Amino acid sequence: MVEVKLHDIGEGMHEGEVIHFFVKAGDSVKVDQPLVEVQTDKVTAELPSPAAGTIKDIKVKEGDVVTVGSVILTIDAASTSTTPSSQKEEESAESKEQPVVEKIVKAPSHTAFSGGIATLNKRVLAAPYTRKIARENGVDIEQIIGTGPGGRVTDQDVYQFIENGSAPFSEEKIESAAPEKVSAAPSFTTKNAEEIPFKGRRKQIAKKMVQSLATIPHVTHFEEIDVTAVMDLKKQLKAMDPDNKRGMNVSVAAFFVKAIQIALKDFPIFNAKLDEEKEVIRLEKNVNIGIATDSDEGLIVPVISHVEQRNVRDIAHDMKDKITRAKTNKLKGSDMTGGTFTISNVGPLGSIAATPIINHPEVALMAFHKTKKTPVVIGDEIVIRSMMNVSMSFDHRVADGATAVMFTNRVKELIENPYFMTLELI
């Protein structure tokens, strides 16, 4: 007797609601045949049959909420399928003899096939964990043609699709489905082109970006911030110390870093790292802000450590020093380790919005864009203010959109009211 239990389908769930049974007691089932549909707080998934046989007993009802590990139904595997063995052998033999092209021809007319990518207007067969892999990597599983039994999408199909942008077809399938046209590898020519070696830091950056995008389901939202007050404060400080003998000529970006640190204290989920292997989210005690810096050799991220223990002047001094050394390739290894949150201050370059890639294994990154004077309605009056857009990317496995918006709102509040930061002085 085979027990079918509710298992964790990959969302860290504890329970799920039984939505619908596809079978009833006495039904014969095959391996991987959908048995029941279960809904968690994030997904709706089908539990496939782990064995062939006859449904012996259904232990719960539709609408019941069951915990992970609970038995949903049992299968009498000893009875196996009622299909006569001879018939199965005939079907198997027929399947082996049938060319792949015939299988595709027999597919429903609404199935489109082009260039190794199919669009199927039907439910794709895949295990919940396989769907999880696809979902976490931003892949539409319906775009993948499965190579498993009955066209089932396997884990390997998903990984192959992520790596190559297509499912791992056999040569037979490709030739049978589209013999007249086989996609060729892109051709490169060196005529009238300059070749730049793809190695060193450029290649490391590429690996890092691919790892981050392939691992983290990114979500980015945008906000605009009135930076008039913090720019005025900077001017006032500079006027009070024109020779910078007291270190009061600080950058506006230093205020941004301090605002991020204070907001992270209120929303520590963004000052964290997801340890997938041990299935824990590590909330970091220290706030170490990475500063995405453009250099002649590419992107580099020096880290301002222990921001929670430093004032704006210390932060400004450290930022200036490390950005200067980053641009002259004089950073030490220790200057670039231990980051817990990254900012990208691209405003001086002129951007208005972006979808920044998170610095893996961190959870979030905020980009600050250019500031421009804009007419803004305050009360019933139109006034000219200095406005700036920010882009906040976060790991949707770890945090939700509402939390990210609240975090950004807190950063916005602090930047628009820089005197609030004095309340957070240590």
Side-chain angles (χ1 to χ4, degrees):
M1 196 68 66
V2 178
E3 293 183 333
V4 177
K5 300 180 180 179
L6 178 64
H7 57 273
D8 188 340
I9 59 177
E11 298 293 332
M13 69 178 205
H14 302 290
E15 62 184 21
E17 180 181 353
V18 176
I19 300 299
H20 176 68
F21 281 104
F22 299 105
V23 296
K24 61 183 182 299
D27 283 355
S28 297
V29 294
K30 302 175 182 178
V31 174
D32 288 338
Q33 178 178 334
L35 299 176
V36 59
E37 188 176 45
V38 178
Q39 184 176 51
T40 72
D41 57 344
K42 288 186 178 294
V43 299
T44 299
E46 296 171 359
L47 301 187
S49 176
T54 302
I55 301 297
K56 182 66 176 179
D57 190 18
I58 295 179
K59 302 288 188 181
V60 298
K61 304 185 299 297
E62 293 180 357
D64 284 355
V65 175
V66 295
T67 57
V68 171
S70 300
V71 177
I72 295 179
L73 56 83
T74 58
I75 300 173
D76 183 0
S79 67
T80 63
S81 171
T82 57
T83 303
S85 57
S86 58
Q87 182 179 342
K88 290 179 64 178
E89 290 173 358
E90 290 175 2
E91 291 178 352
S92 176
E94 181 183 355
S95 175
K96 290 179 181 178
E97 294 172 0
Q98 197 172 38
V100 173
V101 66
E102 289 187 21
K103 293 182 179 179
I104 296 173
V105 171
K106 286 183 176 180
S109 58
H110 55 254
T111 301
F113 186 93
S114 176
I117 297 177
T119 301
L120 305 177
N121 295 324
K122 64 178 183 180
R123 183 72 172 172
V124 173
L125 291 177
Y129 182 72
T130 305
R131 296 180 187 277
K132 172 179 175 288
I133 295 172
R135 187 170 57 253
E136 291 185 346
N137 287 282
V139 172
D140 182 356
I141 200 167
E142 294 188 354
Q143 297 297 315
I144 303 174
I145 294 179
T147 60
R152 190 177 192 81
V153 176
T154 67
D155 296 355
Q156 184 59 36
D157 291 339
V158 177
Y159 288 127
Q160 187 73 36
F161 189 92
I162 293 169
E163 183 176 351
N164 299 330
S166 62
F169 297 107
S170 67
E171 294 181 357
E172 180 184 7
K173 280 187 177 181
I174 294 174
E175 292 173 359
S176 299
E180 71 286 359
K181 184 179 180 180
V182 178
S183 60
S187 62
F188 298 98
T189 177
T190 58
K191 186 178 180 180
N192 297 325
E194 178 186 2
E195 291 188 344
I196 301 174
F198 184 58
K199 62 181 183 179
R201 183 179 295 174
R202 185 74 265 159
K203 194 166 185 176
Q204 292 303 315
I205 292 171
K207 288 183 178 178
K208 184 79 174 179
M209 294 300 150
V210 170
Q211 178 192 22
S212 183
L213 275 180
T215 306
I216 301 173
H218 283 61
V219 174
T220 303
H221 79 91
F222 307 92
E223 183 56 273
E224 61 177 4
I225 298 178
D226 184 344
V227 296
T228 307
V230 73
M231 293 185 71
D232 288 346
L233 177 57
K234 169 185 164 50
K235 291 177 182 176
Q236 292 172 25
L237 292 171
K238 183 178 181 179
M240 296 171 66
D241 185 21
D243 299 326
N244 200 29
K245 293 181 179 179
R246 298 162 63 186
M248 297 172 66
N249 185 11
V250 298
S251 65
V252 172
F255 286 99
F256 296 166
V257 171
K258 193 62 181 177
I260 290 283
Q261 176 260 308
I262 295 171
L264 287 174
K265 186 170 63 175
D266 297 336
F267 297 90
I269 195 65
F270 296 113
N271 195 53
K273 295 173 183 175
L274 174 60
D275 187 335
E276 296 176 77
E277 184 176 346
K278 296 185 178 179
E279 298 184 333
V280 295
I281 299 171
R282 302 188 186 283
L283 303 179
E284 299 288 344
K285 299 298 182 183
N286 301 324
V287 178
N288 303 328
I289 305 292
I291 311 295
T293 305
D294 181 44
S295 73
D296 291 340
E297 296 188 16
L299 177 65
I300 192 168
V301 187
V303 176
I304 311 301
S305 302
H306 298 287
V307 178
E308 77 280 4
Q309 300 175 12
R310 308 172 79 165
N311 57 39
V312 173
R313 179 166 50 197
D314 289 342
I315 294 169
H317 176 77
D318 200 4
M319 281 182 63
K320 183 178 180 180
D321 171 61
K322 288 180 176 171
I323 290 175
T324 300
R325 288 195 287 128
K327 291 182 176 296
T328 54
N329 200 26
K330 294 181 179 178
L331 287 174
K332 302 175 183 178
S334 58
D335 294 326
M336 297 179 285
T337 59
T340 58
F341 188 100
T342 297
I343 70 166
S344 177
N345 186 27
V346 291
L349 299 177
S351 79
I352 60 171
T355 53
I357 298 175
I358 298 167
N359 190 13
H360 183 274
E362 297 172 13
V363 168
L365 182 151
M366 181 174 285
F368 297 88
H369 302 283
K370 75 174 182 181
T371 299
K372 63 178 181 180
K373 290 188 175 180
T374 304
V376 177
V377 177
I378 299 180
D380 292 329
E381 296 183 351
I382 297 177
V383 296
I384 302 300
R385 306 292 290 181
S386 295
M387 304 299 295
M388 174 185 69
N389 292 338
V390 296
S391 305
M392 168 75 174
S393 290
F394 62 95
D395 187 338
H396 209 340
R397 298 173 301 175
V398 177
D400 296 323
T403 311
V405 170
M406 288 189 287
F407 170 77
T408 304
N409 287 343
R410 177 60 169 149
V411 173
K412 174 184 169 78
E413 178 186 50
L414 291 163
I415 293 176
E416 292 186 343
N417 304 277
Y419 293 105
F420 286 2
M421 297 188 206
T422 61
L423 302 176
E424 306 292 339
L425 295 179
I426 58 175

